[in-house]
Amino acid sequence: MCCDLKRRFLLLYATQKGQAKAIAEEIWQQAGAHGLEADMHCISEMDKYNLETEKDPVVIVISTTGTGDPPDAARKFVKKIQDTTLPPDHFAHLQYGLLGLGDSEYTFFCNGGKTVDRRLQELGAQHFYDTGLADDCVGLELVVDPWIDGLWLALKEAFLLQKEKEGMSSDAVSSSLSAAPHVGHELNLSSEVQNLKLEDERVRSSDVLTQKLVDIHLVAPTRDTEPSLVHSVPPVSQSALSIPALPPEYIEVQFQDTHGKNPHLSSLISEGTAFEVPVTKAVQLTREDAIKTALLLELDIADTVFDYQPGDAFCVICPNNVNEVEELLHILGLSEKGEYFVCVKVKEGTKKKGAAHPQHIPERSTLKFILTWCLEIRAIPKKAFLRALVECTSDVGEKRRLQELCSRQGASDYTRFIRDSNVCLLDLLHAFPSCKPSLNLLIEHLPKLQARSYSVSSSNLYQPGKLCFVFNIVEFPACPARPVSRKGVCTGWLAELVAPLLHPNKNTLDTKGGSSSTEKISIFARPNNNFHLPADPSVPFVMVGPGTGISPFIGFLQHRQKLREEHADWEFGETWLVFGCRHQDRDYLFKQLRCFLENGTLTHLKVCFSRDSSAAEVAPPKYVQDVIRLYAKEIARVLLKERGYFYVCGDKKHMADGVSDAVVDILSMEMEADKLEAMKILAMLREAKRYLQDVWS
Ligand code: FAD
């Protein structure tokens, strides 16, 4: 009977940074424990599955990238299903469940998943399970964990339905399904977890799929009443714990004490060519007493074929902090081996499905190179990593706490003490000193060190051979979970690198001249967005860029100035720039913006200061949103009557939504329409690429 059972389902993932893949792998692993077989593929591997003929249930895990795009891996798939010639019953045979991943700080939350979901529905596919939309802003696991929990029952029902359709007796199927190992609702969907007790040291969870139910009994009485990263209180400290299955190890490393060269940094990227370029100038744009420190760097790209348009972003390949790498080597007991070459291989016979050599680890490079350039050592450890760390921890109390932090019962402790505190591996290793992970574990669990994106703040027409960009040095203050303050990986590194060339407080747009420097950084182009000047120069536009959000608009204005100089006969549309900062005298990044006003490049410059007090009778606007409301008529005219463009750049957290709310308000006011109607107009403007955002956190 068993062999008649349909217990296979197709599991597709579309990942950008590895999260969707990791979740799919988790589903794959749990499926085994439920007696099911997940046929897992990256959605891009379209030769390995066929939705047109797929009869089994399909589970899709898909993330979102950019401003609401599906991940690169899903592009071909999305293009295929968006073919408008497909009939509405094209996927009528398909039953699917979809888990979308996103970040609600972005305007188009989970749009990758929503796009696929919507289209599959349009093509007649049926949900066998409600769509889950997980939010990285509050913690993916808040939706992912219960979604996976519920998946097994939904799949069981989907199999039953499928059999019924095929004319088989549902009773027979039902009973066979119940007989299958670990399948069934009664197990409350947690067959892959283990209930552990501390005192029972024999309870080792090396066998991934075994289930051990043991009474809970705490060895150490609780002393403090306040929980912390290392300390728990009831009920967590007294609970039986459901912890994730131990992920199978799949990497093997060998050290070689030989000489050789590390790979070139350009081999670390898959997106085109990297260029190593000198930093020719560094200017601090903010005063020493400003809350944030903004720097402008100028790069010399004259000797490269790197090209850009104003509005483009590009990526900087950055290393981890050198002291953190040394510290990590020390804790791992590998200080002596930093210069050894590491040969990374996939463990023979590993149980990990689709185990492959991690693409971001070179075939051959030194240990220091891997820790410096390849692994995001600051990444917030995922629960699966914590689970693996439990096995490398000798102290009983520390072990228990790590188990709690990756358990279902300790979910809110994980969110509070790890995720929201931005705890990284080093923080954990300090907090749990008996935890001594092996290098292979780090390679298996730490994600790729991502290059950081920056918006170009110059025009290649205005300053040929140069590229400027502006950034805030990201600072993370010390907190209970992390006794030392830190700077952002990339911005901290850049700040240190350019310190010798820094012109303090110059606050200048004139980057001509440049100081000579031997410091070089590696950059590469970031695939295009639509954030460019209107192709027709007579079209008016509004630019809104508080703080470092002004950066691309400097490029726009330089470009425009040059075009005006070179084409006196062209017609140029009206231009608006709305800038905001805290204090006029501390963080007004480009005071020389007035020059653009004086030479006619800029028609309107509106600046607001959120923390300066004013003696004026009518309080001046504080935020860029207030400025937009103040000039409602003019801005609505530009957008509605003159078919103008609206650009927003900067902080995605508060500003971008505040600005779009303000635009909805002014559209509704000026059109005398209700809010819903105004929202539709804004959506249409977005669709027509006339309302464009370049926002980051
Ligand atoms: P990271 O080390 O990556 O830390 C940054 C983020 O990590 C924080 O925002 C926070 O979410 C989290 N984090 C890590 N550790 C902690 C901690 N201990 N406490 C709290 N939070 C923590 N930035 C600019 O300044 N100028 C630009 O022009 C610009 N353009 C961009 C264009 C695009 C298309 C994109 C996607 C981003 C852009 N950014 C820009 C953002 C930039 O890419 C980087 O994210 C930013 O500079 C921080 O990088 P970092 O490595 O210094 O910080």
Side-chain angles (χ1 to χ4, degrees):
M1 194 67 205
C2 229
C3 30
D4 289 344
L5 282 176
K6 285 276 199 101
R7 286 189 276 133
R8 169 196 172 271
F9 66 98
L10 178 64
L11 173 58
L12 300 177
Y13 65 84
T15 201
Q16 192 71 19
K17 291 189 178 169
Q19 269 169 330
K21 183 174 182 219
I23 291 167
E25 284 170 354
E26 169 82 23
I27 294 174
W28 178 84
Q29 233 167 51
Q30 292 196 26
H34 285 267
L36 304 175
E37 185 200 327
D39 183 12
M40 182 171 79
H41 304 285
C42 172
I43 209 159
S44 63
E45 297 172 319
M46 285 157 75
D47 54 328
K48 301 210 173 121
Y49 64 92
N50 185 357
L51 289 191
E52 268 78 18
T53 55
E54 184 61 58
K55 294 223 171 64
D56 294 335
V58 179
V59 174
I60 301 173
V61 186
I62 174 168
S63 62
T64 298
T65 186
T67 33
D69 303 319
D72 294 343
R75 285 217 181 131
K76 239 166 89 186
F77 174 85
V78 171
K79 200 166 166 218
K80 192 172 170 206
I81 62 170
Q82 276 176 341
D83 178 352
T84 49
T85 63
L86 295 176
D89 62 349
H90 185 73
F91 284 136
H93 59 282
L94 214 63
Q95 304 186 75
Y96 75 102
L98 184 142
L99 176 62
L101 313 181
D103 185 331
S104 61
E105 281 182 8
Y106 285 92
T107 313
F108 300 106
F109 172 59
C110 275
N111 203 45
K114 285 178 185 170
T115 306
V116 170
D117 201 14
R118 204 180 311 119
R119 189 60 187 145
L120 290 178
Q121 292 284 302
E122 283 168 7
L123 295 172
Q126 309 284 323
H127 283 138
F128 74 83
Y129 185 38
D130 285 346
T131 295
L133 299 176
D135 184 359
D136 205 14
C137 177
V138 292
L140 289 175
E141 65 278 1
L142 296 184
V143 168
V144 171
D145 291 353
W147 193 87
I148 298 179
D149 284 352
L151 176 65
W152 311 116
L153 179 63
L155 271 169
K156 181 185 168 189
E157 283 166 358
F159 289 130
L160 286 172
L161 198 74
Q162 192 182 358
K163 285 290 171 197
E164 269 172 18
K165 270 193 199 158
E166 287 170 14
M168 224 180 110
S169 140
S170 66
D171 282 352
V173 179
S174 178
S175 63
S176 352
L177 272 171
S178 322
H182 306 299
V183 178
H185 199 39
E186 301 74 29
L187 278 182
N188 201 18
L189 318 163
S190 50
S191 53
E192 81 299 345
V193 302
Q194 302 149 328
N195 287 354
L196 298 162
K197 70 167 185 175
L198 249 188
E199 63 178 3
D200 190 349
E201 270 300 280
R202 290 158 303 159
V203 179
R204 313 288 302 184
S205 36
S206 51
D207 180 355
V208 194
L209 304 176
T210 53
Q211 186 182 47
K212 294 177 180 159
L213 296 157
V214 194
D215 290 335
I216 186 70
H217 179 74
L218 258 188
V219 170
T222 49
R223 285 174 303 271
D224 307 328
T225 48
E226 272 303 298
S228 69
L229 176 64
V230 292
H231 177 71
S232 62
V233 296
V236 175
S237 59
Q238 292 173 353
S239 295
L241 301 176
S242 306
I243 67 167
L246 180 66
E249 292 195 2
Y250 72 101
I251 291 291
E252 196 169 75
V253 293
Q254 282 166 3
F255 289 104
Q256 296 165 347
D257 182 13
T258 54
H259 294 285
K261 262 190 158 181
N262 274 314
H264 197 266
L265 292 186
S266 58
S267 69
L268 299 179
I269 60 157
S270 50
E271 313 91 333
T273 316
F275 302 95
E276 205 186 349
V277 292
V279 183
T280 42
K281 194 161 197 165
V283 184
Q284 182 170 324
L285 299 176
T286 42
R287 230 169 60 172
E288 289 306 328
D289 55 355
I291 292 187
K292 291 182 182 172
T293 306
L295 302 185
L296 174 143
L297 301 195
E298 180 197 76
L299 308 177
D300 183 352
I301 55 166
D303 292 337
T304 70
V305 292
F306 186 91
D307 197 17
Y308 69 90
Q309 285 187 57
D312 277 348
F314 68 102
C315 297
V316 173
I317 302 181
C318 57
N320 284 311
N321 178 282
V322 97
N323 297 329
E324 289 174 32
V325 170
E326 291 296 343
E327 218 179 323
L328 203 50
L329 282 171
H330 176 73
I331 295 177
L332 297 178
L334 293 171
S335 294
E336 308 298 310
K337 297 204 164 125
E339 300 304 335
Y340 281 33
F341 276 78
V342 176
C343 182
V344 175
K345 283 197 186 131
V346 173
K347 251 188 182 154
E348 254 179 55
T350 176
K351 285 186 188 152
K352 185 179 164 72
K353 157 92 174 158
H357 183 111
Q359 281 175 2
H360 53 286
I361 306 293
E363 292 289 336
R364 201 168 172 279
S365 59
T366 62
L367 174 55
K368 254 192 195 159
F369 184 88
I370 293 177
L371 294 180
T372 307
W373 294 100
C374 307
L375 297 175
E376 184 96 45
I377 61 174
R378 288 267 191 94
I380 298 171
K382 299 233 165 62
K383 288 184 182 170
F385 194 11
L386 294 180
R387 176 66 191 87
L389 290 176
V390 168
E391 302 305 300
C392 326
T393 305
S394 52
D395 180 88
V396 172
E398 291 178 14
K399 221 177 162 79
R400 162 75 192 190
R401 185 58 180 145
L402 285 171
Q403 284 164 347
E404 287 169 357
L405 288 166
C406 66
S407 71
R408 190 153 301 154
Q409 293 72 11
S412 65
D413 277 8
Y414 175 86
T415 306
R416 183 168 165 203
F417 300 116
I418 298 210
R419 206 191 130 77
D420 293 352
S421 308
N422 276 281
V423 155
C424 65
L425 174 66
L426 261 180
D427 300 325
L428 278 184
L429 296 179
H430 284 140
F432 300 93
S434 80
C435 177
K436 301 282 177 209
S438 56
L439 177 62
N440 64 299
L441 217 58
L442 268 56
I443 296 176
E444 284 165 12
H445 290 276
L446 289 174
K448 173 183 166 49
L449 176 57
Q450 298 284 347
R452 303 314 201 242
S453 302
Y454 293 94
S455 307
V456 173
S457 187
S458 52
S459 153
N460 43 3
L461 213 57
Y462 185 89
Q463 307 179 69
K466 301 285 187 202
L467 181 157
C468 294
F469 66 108
V470 174
F471 61 89
N472 278 326
I473 303 175
V474 174
E475 314 230 14
F476 307 117
C479 67
R482 187 188 46 253
V484 287
S485 66
R486 292 204 180 106
K487 291 197 165 63
V489 173
C490 187
T491 55
W493 167 67
L494 286 172
E496 214 169 282
L497 189 81
V498 304
L501 11 155
L502 209 55
H503 295 231
N505 254 335
K506 264 288 216 32
N507 200 335
T508 177
L509 267 180
D510 176 20
T511 58
K512 287 171 189 157
S515 34
S516 63
S517 150
T518 49
E519 298 303 349
K520 291 186 169 182
I521 64 173
S522 291
I523 62 167
F524 61 96
R526 192 173 202 265
N528 172 14
N529 55 56
N530 297 295
F531 205 81
H532 293 138
L533 279 164
D536 175 357
S538 70
V539 170
F541 59 90
V542 178
M543 301 168 275
V544 180
T548 47
I550 194 173
S551 174
F553 303 133
I554 299 296
F556 277 20
L557 291 168
Q558 290 181 344
H559 207 75
R560 189 73 165 201
Q561 180 177 329
K562 210 64 194 157
L563 288 179
R564 286 169 64 92
E565 286 166 17
E566 288 174 0
H567 304 278
D569 55 328
W570 284 9
E571 190 194 330
F572 289 93
E574 177 185 355
T575 53
W576 288 73
L577 176 64
V578 183
F579 174 72
C581 61
R582 287 188 173 84
H583 301 283
Q584 177 156 20
D585 54 356
R586 294 187 213 171
D587 55 359
Y588 190 163
L589 301 187
F590 291 99
K591 280 192 181 144
Q592 294 77 356
L593 280 171
R594 292 224 135 261
C595 305
F596 292 120
L597 203 57
E598 281 153 18
N599 67 28
T601 307
L602 197 54
T603 327
H604 305 278
L605 171 64
K606 305 293 169 200
V607 185
C608 54
F609 308 103
S610 60
R611 306 283 165 85
D612 282 344
S613 47
S614 159
E617 220 170 89
V618 182
K622 269 182 180 257
Y623 301 104
V624 288
Q625 300 87 297
D626 304 335
V627 178
I628 292 166
R629 288 197 172 89
L630 199 61
Y631 295 93
K633 266 202 171 1
E634 291 87 338
I635 293 175
R637 167 182 49 82
V638 166
L639 285 178
L640 299 172
K641 293 214 176 95
E642 296 167 12
R643 302 190 52 76
Y645 282 51
F646 194 100
Y647 300 89
V648 189
C649 181
D651 177 23
K652 77 175 153 76
K653 243 184 214 154
H654 311 292
M655 187 274 297
D657 285 348
V659 169
S660 63
D661 287 350
V663 170
V664 166
D665 286 350
I666 66 168
L667 292 178
S668 122
M669 211 164 71
E670 295 306 313
M671 291 166 28
E672 294 180 1
D674 62 17
K675 211 167 164 175
L676 194 67
E677 195 57 31
M679 285 165 86
K680 280 189 195 157
I681 300 285
L682 180 62
M684 195 203 73
L685 289 171
R686 287 186 202 272
E687 188 76 19
K689 312 273 186 247
R690 288 207 285 125
Y691 186 97
L692 293 156
Q693 290 194 146
D694 181 11
V695 290
W696 62 78
S697 55

